[in-house]
Amino acid sequence: MRDIRSQFEKNGFVVLEDFFQPEEIDEMKCAGEDFTKNLPPESERKVFSTIELQQNKDKYFLDSANKISVFFESEALEEDGKLKVHPRVSLNKVGHALHWLHPTFRKYTFDERVKETAFQLDYVEPAICQSMYIYKNPGTGSEVKTHQDATYLYTDPMKVVGFWIALEDATLENGCLWIAPGSHQSGVHRRYIRNKDLDSKELLIYDKAAPCYQLSNFRPVPVSKGTCILIHGQVVHFSHPNKSDKSRHAYTFHVIDTQNVSYSKENWLQPPAGGFPKLYRN
């Protein structure tokens, strides 16, 4: 693998084509599609949206840190939890412990290629802190607003990298990532933390208002199936809604370093009792 560290430090992201083989990608996609065939009962269905932020009030979201929890698209459900759309296109994402609790995702998250990449990025004792299967369904696949991953997974010093794996071609039409190169050099702009006010209905809050970003700073990063995009914790990125007739499935997980790095106790997502699983040791 070529030296990726200098590119990562310069731009805040790196595109690694053919990171996984087509049959490996198909295995992950098949596992993701299985979730749509075994949906939770209507009374237990929860929506995830980066726009409406229902999850701020939701204990289900807070409890999903170390489980496998399913989240629906806001457009997919009636008030009573009945589906408005086909089950196959009803889910927004599944998270946040697929990397540990699901055999297929565990296998690929702790793959030698992932370990080698973390090593290339100078991670000394990396651990996997969360993972998500993202559906981005045709027509209903919602927008993901501009954000930094460090807002949600804050470490001091900052040592967070996202592995974003395209399980299908990600195009301009179906909602590929847009990234602002170099934006990782401007610090962490705001944080998403557990609310210390125990009387509040908001379990999770942002510590600052949303920053304004100039759209001209972003560029689209369309990639083919099997590509992995490495995303620096501070680089600003987003994706448009999917208005096409093709889905844009992706599997993503986040790696933090644990050597001389502290993971904030204020972060919404906290480690399980035994700590986050170490990448090199599993």
Side-chain angles (χ1 to χ4, degrees), residues 80-97:
D80 59 2
K82 284 195 169 57
L83 285 182
K84 295 186 198 173
V85 297
H86 192 285
R88 199 175 64 243
V89 293
S90 63
L91 295 182
N92 173 290
K93 71 174 187 178
V94 175
H96 289 90

Side-chain angles (χ1 to χ4, degrees), residues 225-256:
K225 167 182 166 176
T227 299
C228 174
I229 305 177
L230 301 176
I231 302 172
H232 189 290
Q234 287 177 191
V235 86
V236 185
H237 58 290
F238 74 91
S239 65
H240 287 299
N242 181 0
K243 298 298 184 193
S244 78
D245 58 358
K246 291 190 170 66
S247 57
R248 193 226 68 186
H249 290 204
Y251 174 58
T252 181
F253 56 90
H254 287 88
V255 179
I256 59 168

Side-chain angles (χ1 to χ4, degrees), residues 65 96 123 127-132 147-163 188 190-193 231-234 252-257 261-271 276:
H96 289 90
Y123 276 61
I128 314 287
C129 57
Q130 71 145 2
S131 50
M132 296 179 285
H147 68 283
Q148 300 170 297
D149 293 340
T151 289
Y152 306 93
L153 304 167
Y154 185 84
T155 69
D156 182 24
M158 178 44 54
K159 206 82 189 277
V160 179
V161 57
F163 283 67
V188 178
R190 68 169 177 164
R191 294 185 49 201
Y192 187 61
I193 54 176
I231 302 172
H232 189 290
Q234 287 177 191
T252 181
F253 56 90
H254 287 88
V255 179
I256 59 168
D257 210 345
V261 174
S262 68
Y263 182 84
S264 174
K265 289 185 164 52
E266 294 182 317
N267 287 342
W268 84 267
L269 185 144
Q270 289 298 311
F276 293 127

